[in-house]
Amino acid sequence: MGARTKGRRRATDVLYAADVRGVPVAEILAQEASRAEHEPERATSWAFARQILLGVGEHRDEIDELLTTYSRGWPLDRMPAVDRAILRVGVWELRWSSDVPPSVAITEAVESAKTLSTEDSGRFVHGVLGRIAELPTSP
C-alpha cells in the first residue's frame, strides 16, 4: 500500500473515530500526531493524512452540503459512519486537492468502501463521488 493510500486510510480512521466517539477531529488529530512523532515509518503517510484532515475541517460544511445534495435520498445521519468518513475524504480530494486526479480520488474511495464498509458501499460511494466529480470546479 502506497503512502498516499495509507494517508487516506489514516484520515478516514480519524474522521470515523471522531464521528463515532462524538469528539472533535482536532482531538483525535492531536493524539495521532503525537503517535506519529514516535513512529518515523508513518511520517510520509501521516503528512498526507494531516493535509486531508485539515482540508476536511476547513471545508466541512461545504463537503457535507455536497454529500447531502448528491447522495440522492441518503441523509448524512443515515449513512454508515465509515461511509461518511470515506466520502468526506473523497469530496475534499475532488474539490480542493489539485494534485489528485478525480479518477484516483474516486477509485481510492471505492476501494476503501469495499474494504471497510458494507457490500453495497462501493457502488454508493462511486455514485455519489461520480456525481460530485462532474460539477464544474471553482476558479
Side-chain angles (χ1 to χ4, degrees):
M1 185 181 312
R4 285 192 159 226
T5 299
K6 288 179 185 176
R8 287 178 187 94
R9 185 66 57 91
R10 292 189 200 298
T12 299
D13 290 347
V14 169
L15 292 170
Y16 172 79
D19 195 6
V20 170
R21 291 171 41 193
V23 299
V25 170
E27 182 178 316
I28 309 266
L29 181 62
Q31 292 168 357
E32 287 297 310
S34 174
R35 185 173 161 204
E37 283 179 25
H38 299 35
E39 298 177 28
E41 68 277 4
R42 295 171 54 121
T44 305
S45 63
W46 175 246
F48 188 51
R50 187 174 185 283
Q51 179 185 0
I52 293 168
L53 291 165
L54 293 174
V56 169
E58 181 179 344
H59 298 285
R60 178 73 174 266
D61 292 340
E62 296 159 282
I63 290 169
D64 285 356
E65 183 178 323
L66 285 166
L67 291 176
T68 299
T69 301
Y70 293 97
S71 63
R72 294 193 176 159
W74 279 90
L76 283 174
D77 63 345
R78 283 196 56 220
M79 291 177 198
V82 70
D83 289 2
R84 277 194 303 270
I86 292 166
L87 284 165
R88 285 173 175 148
V89 169
V91 171
W92 177 80
E93 285 194 289
L94 287 172
R95 303 300 291 177
W96 290 280
S97 180
S98 60
D99 65 335
V100 177
S103 61
V104 172
I106 292 170
T107 298
E108 290 280 342
V110 168
E111 289 305 312
S112 285
K114 287 178 180 179
T115 301
L116 301 173
S117 195
T118 69
E119 187 175 309
D120 295 325
S121 290
R123 283 189 306 247
F124 175 68
V125 166
H126 187 272
V128 174
L129 294 180
R131 287 188 286 280
I132 293 171
E134 292 173 356
L135 297 173
T137 56
S138 304

